[in-house]
Amino acid sequence: MRVRTLGPARITSPMEPLLGARRTSEHYAHENDRVLLDDTVAGVASRGVPADALPGMEPCGPRRKIFFDPAKTRAAIVTCGGLCPGLNDVIAGLVRSLTHHYRVRRVVGIRNGYQGFCASYGHDVVELTPESVRDIATDGGTVLGTSRGPQDPEEIVDCLERLHVNILFVVGGDGSMRGAMQVARVIAERNLLISVVGVPKTIDNDIPYIDQSFGFQTAFGLASDSIRAAQVEAKSTANGVGLVKLMGRHSGFIASYAALARSGADVVLIPEVPFALDGENGVLAHLRRRVEERGHAVAVVAEGAGQDLVGDPHAGHDASGNTRLQDIGPYLRRRIADHFADAGIDTSIRYIDPSYAIRSVPANPYDSVYCVRLSQAAVHAAMSGRTEMVVGRYRRRFVHIPMGTAVSRRNQVDPHGDLWLSVLEATGQPVRFG
């Protein structure tokens, strides 16, 4: 996967004198090094090509020569889309790496997503310094604000030119990265030397070629607490049923990992695996049998699951271009209650939807460290002239990924993979319902 650059590196890295005379080439990312996509003998052999022809990605890290002169460089940071744990960690990491390691003299924050570039919204820019971002990681959300929806890329580039910005960091999801690609296209058409580098954000962990997105560990950890609460509530009432709806529009990673972290779930429903509610082999009958056997049951459902049961073809799209989902949680709650009533069983259903409470919290220590390392990788990439790319970790290596590749498809739970098989084993639910 080839990453675009603005031109040949031409400035000796300012890190050289800071790192000492004993710094060797081993400490720099090699330009011709690659992180291979295949990690098994079978995968490599199936390609049937020489080792130097195997597909791979460029590793992250500082380069011996950089493209931008730090003394004349101005960087901008924008956060877009929904909230996710770790956004403030990324902002702080970008600012510190730019100022401490590269001596970039001015970093500005764009307020409220792509809206901040458009004069009609009236948002001012924010001066960002290591002092101003020192404590922001202790708070959830983003200090820069965020918004959804596309803005005119021509107007965005006009603003970048007025601000004399050389580097734009975009922290957002697939819609934000598609917008960044349009911005990069306009920059190229105008023959401007502006680097556009993304730090991909998705709480659903659905970005391809990335091990895990930042904030995901925080999210499923807190989600598992909701499963624990639902189990306690269900066990405390006669024939109790706990129902937890978690994030996951198209990918069931949070529901799967949270259920594995807490062993109390009897059913996990995700978008990747269709299911039927009715019949002796359906979800409802399975929950009823669990209640009859143990006195209680717990079901976990991802927000995008079962849309074929509740979906509305005329629901339209939200500001980010995503199809509006119908709310599976209340629908499933109602169906469970009706099923138990028809069976003559008095039940009490405890429904928990912790989505916004999870999105708004600060990152846990693991995600905080991950965010800092992602931000450092993004700064190294931008200063070396890389553009229209994102940074991520693939098989424990930080790599550069072209934006087009990062939004080419969604990462999803493989219904035949080891993660889903682990969920089936942990819950005891059948391979398929219906």
Side-chain angles (χ1 to χ4, degrees), residues 2 24 29 54 75 82 138 163 184 242 247 254 295-296 341 345 348 351 353 363:
R2 187 173 296 278
T24 69
L54 291 171
T138 60
L163 293 173
M247 296 83 74
I254 288 181
H296 71 277
I345 302 175
S348 176
Y351 175 56
D353 179 358

Side-chain angles (χ1 to χ4, degrees), residues 46 103 124-125 191 245 251 331 416:
S46 67
R103 303 295 190 261
D124 199 2
V125 299
N191 293 317
K245 188 187 79 171
S251 303
Y331 173 80
H416 305 289

